[in-house]
Amino acid sequence: MQRTLRLLAIVAGLCVTTQAFAKKYPARPVKIMVGFSAGGPVDVVARIVADRLSNKLGQAFVVENRAGANGMIAAEGVAHAEGDGYTMLACNSSTITLNKTLFKDIRYDPEKDFAPLTTVVSAPLVLVVNPDNPKTANINTVADLVAAAKAAPGALAYGSGGNGNLAHLAMELLSQKAGVKMIHVPYRGGAASEVGILAQEVLAVFDPLSAVPLVKAGKLRALAVSSAERLPALPDVPTVAEAGYPGFDISFWVGFFMPKATPAPTLEMLHREIVAAAADPMLKERLETQGVVSVLSPAEYAAKIAKETKELAEVVAAANIKAE
């Protein structure tokens, strides 16, 4: 009986401690680590969310840029930080789902070291060709592109923002599903690959959302979008899945994580506040400049990461892709 009472007292004490922690959090500024330079999509999303959290929670949420190694420097810093709720990671999908597969010297484990909070934006890629290029003038659909690749095995060149880039993997996945072989031309960034297709150096590119104005202006022709759902900005453009390749779903997303040991009440509160920020009409309009606003529960987020990590690892292995 006495042992039972002692156990109950311990449990009650832990509950009181947890509640007290949750009530006073945050008691000091919170650092949001961003593994990319200022002005990029991850940085922009992080700063929009940081301003909202600062205003709502009464403490500064300070963005700190530690660019380099495809986000690995910042991710490693957060992975090894104390789980006290005062260090957060804002990163893109590659930092979590691709780096572990591509890099041998990675010093964090995305599954074991992080507690996922939610995605905030998701940006599909747009498969485009240049209508002014004589070689692609008659390519209007994914089926047309696949037929052209089958007619000239290993001759059709496509561009991406770099070896192991998400656009690279998207085209490799399409090639594997369609049973075709194309030539990869890596550029130094997505903007450079866009210039490459406009200059007719390559025949196709999975472009980021920066391609939308060029599509609407007739400079590029959109064949499909890489996400599971159509892009609101291009409602008449089918998804790759709709074009004949079920299950195809690749998007560049930006989301938030905490160290794994962060207390559950803190994780729940931060998730709730970030989701509320994404739902705020004024903030949503700003976030939509970076993609489609998309939030998930922590469990949904973890499942998404596991699925994407497995799929992309299979693409990397099948195509024998090596990090630059």
Side-chain angles (χ1 to χ4, degrees), residues 44-63:
V44 170
V45 171
R47 291 180 187 277
I48 292 172
V49 171
D51 287 346
R52 163 80 178 210
L53 294 177
S54 298
N55 292 332
K56 293 291 289 185
L57 300 180
Q59 286 287 347
F61 280 70
V62 182
V63 172

Side-chain angles (χ1 to χ4, degrees), residues 8-321:
L8 289 173
I10 291 170
V11 171
L14 289 173
C15 291
V16 170
T17 301
T18 300
Q19 290 170 359
F21 182 89
K23 286 180 181 177
K24 70 179 182 181
Y25 175 85
R28 55 186 169 87
V30 177
K31 180 165 57 180
I32 302 179
M33 304 278 284
V34 173
F36 301 90
S37 58
V42 179
D43 179 76
V44 170
V45 171
R47 291 180 187 277
I48 292 172
V49 171
D51 287 346
R52 163 80 178 210
L53 294 177
S54 298
N55 292 332
K56 293 291 289 185
L57 300 180
Q59 286 287 347
F61 280 70
V62 182
V63 172
E64 180 177 315
N65 298 90
R66 289 194 187 178
N70 200 30
M72 286 196 290
I73 295 174
E76 183 184 349
V78 175
H80 299 154
E82 289 187 33
D84 56 6
Y86 291 94
T87 308
M88 182 186 295
L89 176 67
C91 68
N92 65 18
S93 48
S94 295
T95 303
I96 300 298
T97 62
L98 268 178
N99 285 356
K100 186 176 180 180
T101 298
L102 288 173
F103 298 96
K104 294 181 180 179
D105 59 345
I106 186 170
R107 292 185 289 274
Y108 63 90
D109 187 304
E111 181 182 359
K112 295 179 181 178
D113 293 335
F114 299 121
L117 293 174
T118 181
T119 53
V120 176
V121 297
S122 181
L125 301 167
V126 185
L127 178 58
V128 296
V129 296
N130 186 342
D132 294 329
N133 188 334
K135 295 180 179 179
T136 53
N138 295 321
I139 293 180
N140 297 292
T141 66
V142 174
D144 292 340
L145 181 66
V146 170
K150 287 183 175 180
L156 192 154
Y158 71 91
S160 83
N163 207 43
N165 177 278
L166 197 62
H168 176 198
L169 268 66
M171 193 68 85
E172 283 296 333
L173 178 59
L174 176 59
S175 298
Q176 291 170 20
K177 285 181 174 291
V180 298
K181 181 67 177 177
M182 296 186 278
I183 299 172
H184 176 223
V185 180
Y187 288 85
R188 293 187 178 275
S193 69
E194 196 170 82
V195 171
I197 193 168
L198 290 170
Q200 301 183 17
E201 296 171 350
V202 292
L203 301 187
V205 168
F206 262 111
D207 227 353
L209 291 186
S210 59
V212 171
L214 293 170
V215 170
K216 291 185 174 181
K219 300 291 185 182
L220 293 174
R221 178 183 295 140
L223 307 183
V225 294
S226 67
S227 53
E229 297 180 354
R230 293 194 181 196
L231 184 64
L234 298 172
D236 296 328
V237 177
T239 66
V240 175
E242 289 175 327
Y245 301 95
F248 194 105
D249 182 12
I250 291 181
S251 292
F252 172 96
W253 47 256
V254 177
F256 290 84
F257 298 82
M258 299 294 287
K260 195 76 168 184
T262 305
T266 302
L267 296 175
E268 291 165 6
M269 186 263 281
L270 289 171
H271 168 77
R272 184 171 60 251
E273 291 296 339
I274 294 173
V275 169
D280 181 283
M282 292 183 63
L283 295 189
K284 185 177 181 182
E285 184 176 353
R286 293 169 60 194
L287 289 169
E288 284 175 341
T289 63
Q290 305 304 315
V292 179
V293 172
S294 173
V295 296
L296 299 170
S297 71
E300 290 170 334
Y301 197 7
K304 178 181 179 67
I305 291 166
K307 177 177 179 291
E308 290 185 7
T309 300
K310 180 178 181 295
E311 290 177 346
L312 295 177
E314 290 172 352
V315 174
V316 168
N320 195 29
I321 297 171

